[in-house]
Amino acid sequence: MKKTTKLLIAIFSMGIFIACSCSSSNDETVNEQPQEETPKPNPEAPEETEEETTNQTYADIEVPANAGNGMVWQFQEDLSDDFEYEYAGNTSLTTFGNDKWTNFYHNAWNGPGPTIWKHENVTVSGGNLRLLTTRVEGETKTYSASNGNRTDKATRLGCITSTKRVKYPVFVEARVKVANAFFASDIWMLSPDDTQEIDILEAYGAQDSRNEQTWFSERFHISHHVFIRQPFQDYQPKDASTWQKIDGYPYTSSDWVRIGIYWKSPTYLEYYINGNLIKVMDNLDTVGGKDGIDPLNYTSPTGNAADRTGLNKEMDIIINAEVQNWNAEKGRMPTDEDIKNRPEDHTLKVDWIRVFKPVTQ
C-alpha cells in the first residue's frame, strides 16, 4: 500500500480448515509438522480493484479486529513502517528505517538449518522491504537433523528485528508477497528470552512439487510456540486449524496478502487474512479438538496448570526468510539454478507493517 493513491481491497470467499465457515473433510492430512529450530538464549487469484483516494495511507485501512467497548485503535507510528524510502543494505550490523529496525536477528544466532542470515541481504526499495537470497560457492553449514548432524549448501537470507517491543493488547498486520521459493517467509514476534513466540506469517511458497512441497505451499501456517529452555522443550499447536488453505490463493505466494493478529491477552489471539477472521485461540487447554495455547504448562513457573501465564511477555517483531531444518532434511531448499535464474521469486517482499493499540475513546 503506497502513500499516494492505492488501496488494495481483496475480495474472496474464505476456504479454511475448521476455524470458521470451513470445510476440510476432503483434504489430505500431512504427516509432517514444522519443527523449527528456535535459537538458544485451481481457483484464480483474487481480483484487485483500485479506489482513488486523496490522502489514504496504510494507517487508514480499517482495522478488522474489534477494539472493544468504548475503545478505538491508535496507530503506533514508532512501530509501523510503510518502507517508502531507500536502503541499499549494509555489510555490518546497523539500524535503518528511522532506527525502527536492525538488519539482523535479535541475538547472534545466524539462522536455522542451512540458513545464514546476512546483513547485506536486507534492502528497501520501490516501496518494499526486500529480503534477498544469495549463495556463495562452496559455503556449507552443519545443523541438527533427525538422525544426527547434517551438512548442506548454505543459503544466505535476510532477517530484521524491531528496535522496540510490543505487548498485548496489540494488533499487528502486514501486507506481504510470500517468496515463490523453497524456504519459509516469516513475520513473527518473540520474547527476548526466546520462551514465547507468536507467528503472524509462516508460509512455504514454492510453486513446485519437488520433494512433496505442494501441500505446504497451498496452506498458510497459523501457529505459536511456548518453550522451556533447560532442558529444551517446544510446544506448538498441531491440529487441523493450524494449516489454512485460502480461496483465491492456490499457493501462499500466488498474490499479495494482508495478514495480521490481534494479541488481545495472554490467553486470546485472533488471526486475520485480508481483513477476515480465520482463527481464534482462546483457551490455554486443548478443547474440542483445537490445541490450546499452553496445555503442557510450559508457561507455568511451578509446572502447575493453575500458574500458567500464557503469552504474557513483551516481544520483538521479526521479519525473515529461512530454510528450516525439517525442510532441508527433506531436500526442500533452493537449488543454485533457482537462486540464479529467479531472483525476484527468491525475494521476500513486505509492502508495509502496522501496529495499533486499543485506547479509551
Side-chain angles (χ1 to χ4, degrees):
M1 180 66 60
K2 305 297 178 247
K3 284 184 177 178
T4 53
T5 61
K6 294 187 179 180
L7 171 63
L8 177 66
I9 305 173
I11 306 172
F12 55 86
S13 299
M14 302 303 296
I16 59 180
F17 271 79
I18 65 170
C20 58
S21 301
C22 56
S23 174
S24 61
S25 58
N26 295 324
D27 269 330
E28 291 184 13
T29 57
V30 67
N31 293 323
E32 296 179 53
Q33 285 287 344
Q35 299 294 329
E36 300 97 313
E37 176 191 344
T38 299
K40 298 178 180 179
N42 295 343
E44 296 180 355
E47 295 182 1
E48 293 187 7
T49 60
E50 294 183 2
E51 178 180 315
E52 293 298 322
T53 61
T54 53
N55 297 306
Q56 187 81 37
T57 73
Y58 73 123
D60 298 322
I61 302 170
E62 183 179 1
V63 174
N66 187 343
N69 293 333
M71 309 290 283
V72 295
W73 290 110
Q74 183 181 75
F75 180 63
Q76 306 295 296
E77 171 67 31
D78 59 338
L79 287 159
S80 304
D81 201 339
D82 61 6
F83 300 111
E84 289 288 342
Y85 52 87
E86 297 293 311
Y87 172 66
N90 195 306
T91 56
S92 301
L93 180 65
T94 188
T95 61
F96 68 97
N98 199 24
D99 293 330
K100 293 180 180 181
W101 308 98
T102 60
N103 60 347
F104 202 67
Y105 188 63
H106 77 169
N107 61 33
W109 188 55
N110 70 353
T115 300
I116 298 179
W117 288 319
K118 301 296 289 186
H119 304 302
E120 59 268 28
N121 285 45
V122 175
T123 65
V124 179
S125 65
N128 297 322
L129 172 70
R130 294 170 56 87
L131 302 185
L132 311 179
T133 306
T134 56
R135 183 168 282 158
V136 173
E137 185 175 358
E139 185 176 45
T140 62
K141 185 180 175 185
T142 300
Y143 59 94
S144 299
S146 60
N147 295 317
N149 289 339
R150 178 185 175 99
T151 300
D152 278 313
K153 290 182 178 180
T155 303
R156 294 186 170 197
L157 295 160
C159 179
I160 71 171
T161 304
S162 61
T163 56
K164 293 185 177 180
R165 294 179 178 133
V166 295
K167 191 175 182 180
Y168 68 91
V170 65
F171 178 81
V172 183
E173 184 181 45
R175 183 172 184 260
V176 59
K177 183 65 166 63
V178 171
N180 176 10
F182 280 89
F183 54 69
S185 297
D186 298 329
I187 302 175
W188 48 307
M189 300 183 289
L190 183 65
S191 62
D193 62 358
D194 297 330
T195 61
Q196 297 180 14
E197 172 183 331
I198 299 173
D199 299 324
I200 302 169
L201 169 75
E202 185 172 39
Y204 308 91
Q207 298 179 25
D208 190 320
S209 61
R210 188 173 83 233
N211 295 327
E212 301 179 332
Q213 170 70 27
T214 302
W215 194 96
F216 300 99
S217 294
E218 293 175 341
R219 293 159 174 83
F220 292 90
H221 190 220
I222 308 298
S223 192
H224 74 277
H225 294 255
V226 289
F227 304 94
I228 294 176
R229 304 314 306 183
Q230 292 294 335
F232 180 76
Q233 297 180 77
D234 172 10
Y235 166 77
Q236 68 168 327
K238 296 182 179 180
D239 64 85
S241 70
T242 60
W243 291 99
Q244 301 279 355
K245 189 173 184 179
I246 305 300
D247 281 354
Y249 290 81
Y251 299 97
T252 59
S253 59
S254 292
D255 202 355
W256 287 85
V257 64
R258 274 174 58 198
I259 189 162
I261 193 165
Y262 180 23
W263 179 18
K264 185 176 181 179
S265 77
T267 59
Y268 191 99
L269 303 170
E270 293 178 352
Y271 296 85
Y272 291 85
I273 290 183
N274 289 337
N276 295 282
L277 178 65
I278 62 167
K279 181 176 179 178
V280 175
M281 295 285 289
D282 57 0
N283 204 306
L284 285 167
D285 293 304
T286 297
V287 177
K290 185 169 67 175
D291 290 343
I293 289 176
D294 182 21
L296 302 182
N297 306 336
Y298 287 179
T299 65
S300 170
T302 64
N304 297 321
D307 298 326
R308 288 174 293 182
T309 66
L311 298 164
N312 71 327
K313 297 179 180 180
E314 65 176 4
M315 299 190 189
D316 297 309
I317 298 175
I318 301 169
I319 304 175
N320 70 268
E322 58 185 40
V323 180
Q324 296 165 341
N325 303 49
W326 65 282
N327 270 323
E329 186 174 356
K330 296 291 185 178
R332 294 191 287 261
M333 67 183 84
T335 66
D336 293 345
E337 292 74 20
D338 289 339
I339 296 170
K340 178 181 178 181
N341 297 330
R342 298 188 293 114
E344 279 301 303
D345 281 346
H346 289 75
T347 301
L348 171 58
K349 307 176 187 75
V350 180
D351 188 10
W352 47 254
I353 184 167
R354 62 190 193 143
V355 179
F356 289 83
K357 296 281 286 184
V359 297
T360 303
Q361 193 167 12

